[in-house]
Amino acid sequence: MFLNIDRHDQQKTAIKDDSGYSLTYGDILSTVRELDEMSLGRCIIFSLCSNTAGSLVGYLAFENNRQVPLLLSSSLDQELRTNLEDAYHPSYYWAPEEKRAQLEGEEVYRKYGYVLLKTGYDPYPLNDQLSMLLTTSGSTGSPKLVRHKYGNLEANAENVAKVFDWSENEIGICDLPMNYTMGLNVINSHLFRGASVLMVKANLMDPDFWSFIKENRGTSFCGVPFSYEIMRRVGFDKMELPDLHTLAEGGGKLTDKMFRWIASYCKDHKKRFCATFGTSETSARMAFLDPELALEKIGSIGKAIPNGELFLLDEAKTDDGCVSGELGYRGPNVTMGYALSREDLLKGDEFCGEYHTGDIAKRDQDGYYYIIGRKGRFLKLFGLRVSLDETERILKTKYPKSDCVCTGDDKKMTVFTTDPSIKDELIPFISKKTNLHNSAFRVLVIDEIPRNDYGKVKFSALKELAEK
């Protein structure tokens, strides 16, 4: 059975959410079997996800019963959801009860605050190995999906559980959306071990979030860089959380200053900080830094997880004696490829166990990897190659309390900031740092940097603002 659900202690709490539901492994198994007896067949199911027990148990049932769920945010804009529906013709929706009025279809099942709706779309042929679909674009509603095959999620859950040394006594905190690959891996890697998962809808700035995980003795937390920025603002390092022993990070690059802050906090409080790295295309995590080395290898993503291999494409030596190139990965968690339409769901495995990330990384002399940029995050200004990621890091170091994001083209770099007090300083500062003329830059002050549900910058929205 998927994630060995039937082999764990059936009386043990598997899922508890902050909406009031608490499910044992036996409850999950019962629901999986009830849905199996409905003979839904092999079809596409749009699962509108929230961090709740009902959302999670549906995903577990569909994976086990060989339906193919597309995990989407329950808050996805209705027009964008309709665009996806037109592209992929789901046979069913698994949705929160409160979304029922917004969706057409016949209700055929209801449990734990969720309803299963039959849409009227007929099933169509799918590749036999296709197991799950995730979006590549967060909340934009793009039809481009990542195609997972059977074994991807299980392999990553097992290898991540191994490298984190999870046991059945863990109580993992899922604060990241479960339709986000990193949030899903938190769930999978804990349930694989027979541990418990806390599903939290409250956000990190809400005191209820911290009350819930403290009351329920959460032991491990995973955040993206934006999560840790919020935690620092709300005084996380002053909180009393005696059961929380593991802090993990993924989903983007922390600044060295933030990395050092978390690692130092963990060392001082006898906790461990685990930097990781992964992508949807690799079913989440592909790299892990030994927490014992967190302060020695500031900014590193570590080495490959068990049964995986990291490598660099087009290697080139750097000035500091390291080697850089595009980061690649091989392992059993590499997915099948992409889909742009329902016809693509018949395609076989195009990645064949190897994925080229598009991230530029360096490998130090000890074999540890560091992300230093994206292939597409470079401009050529006045004939000189300029990294947008590096420019953002320079700005973050200079203005740690200000939110700045860089975009642009080979004619001009645009710096977006939410802090009008530094507007006049930015161009002279960047010009000096990059040794480029002031005319290569412009600054736009906006109220808020647009981000998706996972805290990642929505560059398409910034492009629209820049063109106005």
Side-chain angles (χ1 to χ4, degrees):
M1 180 168 274
F2 183 58
L3 301 180
N4 299 327
I5 294 298
D6 57 336
R7 300 181 189 176
H8 304 317
D9 180 356
Q10 298 299 291
Q11 303 303 313
K12 182 176 180 178
T13 298
I15 309 166
K16 186 171 185 179
D17 67 26
D18 58 353
S19 298
Y21 287 102
S22 182
L23 277 62
T24 65
Y25 278 98
D27 294 330
I28 296 174
L29 185 60
S30 175
T31 305
V32 170
R33 288 174 173 165
E34 286 176 6
L35 284 164
D36 188 35
E37 290 170 0
M38 294 181 66
S39 301
L40 302 179
R42 187 142 170 83
C43 62
I44 300 297
I45 297 178
F46 277 15
S47 184
L48 303 188
C49 299
S50 58
N51 276 16
T52 60
S55 179
L56 176 49
V57 78
Y59 151 75
L60 296 171
F62 304 142
E63 279 299 304
N64 186 76
N65 298 339
R66 293 187 65 84
Q67 286 83 47
V68 179
L70 166 57
L71 305 190
L72 299 168
S73 170
S74 62
S75 62
L76 181 66
D77 177 82
Q78 188 168 340
E79 182 180 352
L80 299 179
R81 177 183 52 74
T82 300
N83 292 341
L84 283 167
E85 182 178 319
D86 291 342
Y88 288 101
H89 287 185
S91 297
Y92 296 90
Y93 269 97
W94 180 243
E97 290 175 348
E98 62 267 23
K99 294 286 181 180
R100 174 68 183 93
Q102 301 175 21
L103 300 166
E104 296 181 3
E106 175 192 359
E107 182 178 323
V108 295
Y109 184 79
R110 179 182 290 248
K111 198 113 186 218
Y112 303 128
Y114 261 66
V115 293
L116 185 67
L117 305 174
K118 189 172 184 178
T119 64
Y121 290 116
D122 292 328
Y124 50 87
L126 305 170
N127 186 282
D128 287 343
Q129 288 301 304
L130 182 66
S131 71
M132 189 187 75
L133 299 164
L134 279 183
T135 64
T136 61
S137 59
S139 57
T140 66
S142 166
K144 186 177 182 181
L145 307 177
V146 176
R147 297 180 291 120
H148 290 68
K149 64 182 177 182
Y150 290 108
N152 285 156
L153 297 169
E154 299 93 324
N156 204 235
E158 181 175 7
N159 292 329
V160 168
K162 181 178 180 180
V163 79
F164 273 91
D165 195 26
W166 293 148
S167 74
E168 68 276 8
N169 298 318
E170 295 292 335
I171 303 175
I173 302 160
C174 186
D175 63 300
L176 299 172
M178 66 165 285
N179 54 292
Y180 174 45
T181 189
M182 196 66 72
L184 193 63
N185 181 258
V186 170
I187 293 165
N188 290 341
S189 61
H190 282 81
L191 295 185
F192 180 84
R193 285 288 195 234
S196 303
V197 178
L198 301 177
M199 302 292 288
V200 193
K201 288 175 69 177
N203 67 58
L204 293 168
M205 297 186 74
D206 188 338
D208 289 344
F209 176 94
W210 301 105
S211 296
F212 181 74
I213 66 170
K214 185 173 183 178
E215 289 168 7
N216 291 283
R217 306 187 69 176
T219 61
S220 59
F221 170 88
C222 181
V224 296
F226 192 58
S227 306
Y228 284 104
E229 289 180 20
I230 293 173
M231 287 162 65
R232 190 166 191 180
R233 290 177 202 164
V234 300
F236 166 78
D237 52 348
K238 304 295 191 298
M239 297 180 185
E240 290 292 331
L241 297 165
D243 297 296
L244 183 63
H245 61 68
T246 299
L247 295 171
E249 186 274 334
K253 181 176 173 58
L254 288 165
T255 63
D256 287 353
K257 182 177 180 180
M258 185 64 74
F259 194 109
R260 184 176 287 104
W261 173 72
I262 306 165
S264 298
Y265 164 83
C266 286
K267 182 179 180 181
D268 293 344
H269 291 79
K270 295 182 171 51
K271 305 180 191 294
R272 59 179 186 164
F273 171 57
C274 305
T276 70
F277 179 78
T279 65
S280 296
E281 292 84 353
T282 57
S283 311
R285 293 177 167 110
M286 64 177 90
F288 173 91
L289 178 65
D290 185 334
E292 296 294 324
L293 297 173
L295 285 170
E296 181 181 340
K297 300 289 185 180
I298 296 289
S300 175
I301 62 171
K303 296 183 177 182
I305 62 171
N307 296 314
E309 176 191 357
L310 293 173
F311 58 93
L312 297 176
L313 296 141
D314 303 320
E315 290 189 3
K317 288 196 172 182
T318 60
D319 294 338
D320 56 2
C322 300
V323 180
S324 68
E326 182 184 356
L327 184 67
Y329 176 83
R330 300 184 187 98
N333 47 309
V334 175
T335 55
M336 299 170 75
Y338 300 111
L340 293 171
S341 66
R342 56 185 176 276
E343 289 77 19
D344 290 342
L345 303 186
L346 259 178
K347 289 182 176 180
D349 189 349
E350 296 178 311
F351 286 161
C352 299
E354 180 172 311
Y355 176 61
H356 302 168
T357 66
D359 291 287
I360 305 301
K362 71 174 183 179
R363 184 178 61 239
D364 71 13
Q365 294 167 330
D366 298 321
Y368 290 86
Y369 287 82
Y370 299 73
I371 302 298
I372 57 177
R374 287 283 297 173
K375 284 178 71 175
R377 291 277 290 158
F378 288 87
L379 305 180
K380 205 161 189 179
L381 300 171
F382 299 130
L384 296 175
R385 198 162 180 258
V386 181
S387 167
L388 293 168
D389 293 325
E390 183 60 28
T391 305
E392 288 177 3
R393 281 195 286 275
I394 291 170
L395 289 170
K396 192 67 177 176
T397 301
K398 174 69 174 176
Y399 304 104
K401 296 182 179 179
S402 302
D403 209 353
C404 299
V405 174
C406 301
T407 67
D409 53 32
D410 289 348
K411 295 179 180 178
K412 194 178 290 286
M413 181 189 297
T414 300
V415 181
F416 292 89
T417 182
T418 57
D419 186 352
S421 70
I422 63 172
K423 178 183 178 181
D424 295 336
E425 303 175 26
L426 288 176
I427 289 179
F429 174 73
I430 303 172
S431 176
K432 182 178 179 181
K433 286 292 183 180
T434 60
N435 216 12
L436 291 170
H437 191 268
N438 285 359
S439 61
F441 308 97
R442 69 167 175 162
V443 175
L444 294 178
V445 178
I446 57 179
D447 293 333
E448 183 179 17
I449 301 296
R451 287 184 165 85
N452 64 21
D453 293 339
Y454 323 138
K456 291 189 175 182
V457 175
K458 296 167 68 173
F459 287 103
S460 58
L462 288 180
K463 183 179 179 182
E464 291 177 6
L465 290 172
E467 292 172 350
K468 286 184 178 179

